[in-house]
Amino acid sequence: MIKFGLLLGLIAAVGWVNAAPVFPAGAISPNRIDVASLVNYVNADSIYNRIQHLQDYQTRYAQADNHWEVAAWIKDEFVRWGYSNAYLFNFLWSGTRQFNPIATLPGSVFPDIYILVGGHYDSFSDNNPLLYAPGADDNASGTAGVMELARVMQAANFQPRCSIIFTTFAGEEVGQIGSETYAQQALADSLDIRLVINLDMIGNNIDPHTLLKILRYDGSLGHAANAAAITTQYTSLGTQWGY
């Protein structure tokens, strides 16, 4: 739950440290949002249950017969929480139709500027991924994280100034095909995405001295620093810069 408070704070207060120039004047609230009020909506059981549900598919491999069923369930959850704009972004890969569930929380001031929060929902195993690749950590944990952020923000009637796209990608394990195809389409559509937060294997740290691993990329170093600052402010977690 602490991790979700951090992520909620990063999305709500994005640009607070060093990163403001990538957003237009007025896009960043001059006051930090009350992260605690959002964290109160987080439900550990609902996160656990979604991870369990995804694991219960036995496999979520891109070429397994159930890959549409998995995507449709995620999309239907978005709809159930009030995202009437939720849909399945679909594309063809290796003879199969693949699907990225997508839902958007519209911005109240800058609806055409986007923050994207994502994580892949497919899974893989070294034996026979068509039959068994439950992937509770990689990456049902990240998928459940994206879904919980979407649920909490809707439940709290959170009104972001910029729009927030929530999505879970198909086919990461076979070459990042879901995210790459979506990125190509976003570029073709001139979609103004200012920040991407990718949740991957967010539940795999069993060290009692729990760390949040933050992966920094060119163009988002300020946001990474913001994530570290929010971690210190709102949680007892340590931070670690990852590769």
Side-chain angles (χ1 to χ4, degrees):
M1 187 172 294
I2 291 174
K3 289 184 179 179
F4 288 101
L6 159 66
L7 292 166
L8 287 161
L10 177 57
I11 295 170
V14 67
W16 181 63
V17 178
N18 296 330
V22 303
F23 287 91
I28 308 303
S29 173
N31 302 309
R32 301 293 295 273
I33 191 165
D34 184 1
V35 176
S37 67
L38 286 171
V39 172
N40 287 335
Y41 285 89
V42 176
N43 186 292
D45 287 339
S46 70
I47 298 169
Y48 174 86
N49 289 337
R50 282 194 290 278
I51 293 174
Q52 185 65 61
H53 181 92
L54 289 163
Q55 180 175 287
D56 287 346
Y57 283 107
Q58 297 298 301
T59 181
R60 302 185 304 278
Y61 185 55
Q63 291 184 315
D65 291 340
N66 67 351
H67 68 273
W68 176 88
E69 180 184 354
V70 177
W73 174 75
I74 297 170
K75 188 265 290 183
D76 289 346
E77 289 290 275
F78 286 146
V79 172
R80 186 166 67 88
W81 297 326
Y83 291 91
S84 59
N85 57 21
Y87 73 102
L88 293 178
F89 173 88
N90 72 90
F91 58 96
L92 194 63
W93 171 78
S94 191
T96 63
R97 184 66 58 181
Q98 300 292 320
F99 306 92
N100 296 341
I102 297 176
T104 302
L105 186 61
S108 60
V109 181
F110 302 99
D112 296 326
I113 293 177
Y114 299 91
I115 298 168
L116 187 147
V117 183
H120 73 93
Y121 67 82
D122 66 308
S123 59
F124 179 78
S125 68
D126 289 330
N127 296 319
N128 188 345
L130 288 170
L131 296 179
Y132 189 72
D137 180 37
D138 189 9
N139 186 35
S141 65
T143 299
V146 173
M147 296 174 73
E148 183 68 355
L149 288 167
R151 185 193 69 80
V152 164
M153 289 190 174
Q154 193 74 277
N157 293 314
F158 176 63
Q159 294 293 310
R161 296 190 175 194
C162 304
S163 294
I164 302 174
I165 299 171
F166 300 101
T167 185
T168 56
F169 296 113
E172 190 269 354
E173 300 289 3
V174 293
Q176 294 83 43
I177 58 169
S179 55
E180 180 178 355
T181 303
Y182 180 79
Q184 290 172 346
Q185 187 62 55
L187 181 62
D189 293 341
S190 298
L191 205 62
D192 193 354
I193 298 174
R194 302 295 179 94
L195 174 67
V196 173
I197 301 174
N198 181 55
L199 307 186
D200 197 280
M201 299 174 64
I202 66 171
N204 68 335
N205 191 339
I206 59 174
D207 190 317
H209 305 290
T210 305
L211 296 172
L212 177 79
K213 183 175 286 187
I214 303 171
L215 281 67
R216 299 170 292 180
Y217 296 91
D218 289 345
S220 65
L221 299 180
H223 294 303
N226 191 25
I230 290 172
T231 303
T232 300
Q233 182 173 357
Y234 289 101
T235 82
S236 60
L237 298 173
T239 57
Q240 180 182 70
W241 299 122
Y243 295 100

